[in-house]
Amino acid sequence: MGQVHIALFATLDLVGQAPGGPDEDPDGFAWGGWQAPLVDEVSGAQVTAAYEGTDALLLGRRTYDIFAAYWPHETGDFARLFNTIPKYVASRATPDLSWEGSNLLGPDLAAEVRAIGERHDHVTVVGSLDLVQTLLSEGLFDRIDLWLHPVLLGAGKKVFTDALTPGRVRLVASPEVSPGGIVHLRYERVEDIPETGDMTRVDGDRA
């Protein structure tokens, strides 16, 4: 069984909307492209490393349309990767699937994602915030790579919402900080539910 890795880019207040440019997701959002001035060589290398071994992309409709309009006309390592591996699109509509290797998923997303995991070793989800919420709520992921950026926006779609199903994750590597203050956190999903406690009764010493 392969793994589903989610790559998330967020502000310090956990806004994940339109990090790469103003046209990504402009609906009621004035800060599209907030990530672009913050990326540095170290964080860029971290993102590149996170894609190592990826043999399929899982994308929402909006992210797919952006990628399909851009990557087929580019060169370089990312372009070679994205243009050659299968792309799976979660959408209730019927997108243009002319980008080579593109496939539209059926209505049973959970079953489709599990089937993709059977066919591939390393499936990467990038962008696609609506899709990410579904994957998180259904527990359909194995790892999260989260880049926290040193900026506060106060508005925009969050990477984690109230629809999230309670669960636990485990840090799999020490946090890495880029020169510009971007923090890279890597977690894997744990098959367990969160525990609770009482901070007034630490070690039984407090009444």
Side-chain angles (χ1 to χ4, degrees), residues 163-187:
L164 186 70
T165 300
R168 293 183 59 235
V169 294
R170 176 171 48 232
L171 194 68
V172 296
S174 297
E176 297 179 343
V177 183
S178 77
I182 299 173
V183 181
H184 180 201
L185 301 167
R186 288 162 284 185
Y187 295 99

Side-chain angles (χ1 to χ4, degrees), residues 84-117:
T84 55
I85 62 177
K87 279 75 66 175
Y88 297 96
V89 188
S91 176
R92 296 184 182 89
T94 306
D96 178 3
L97 299 176
S98 57
W99 190 13
E100 184 176 357
S102 298
N103 306 270
L104 181 64
L105 299 181
D108 189 343
L109 183 62
E112 293 277 14
V113 172
R114 293 187 182 99
I116 293 169

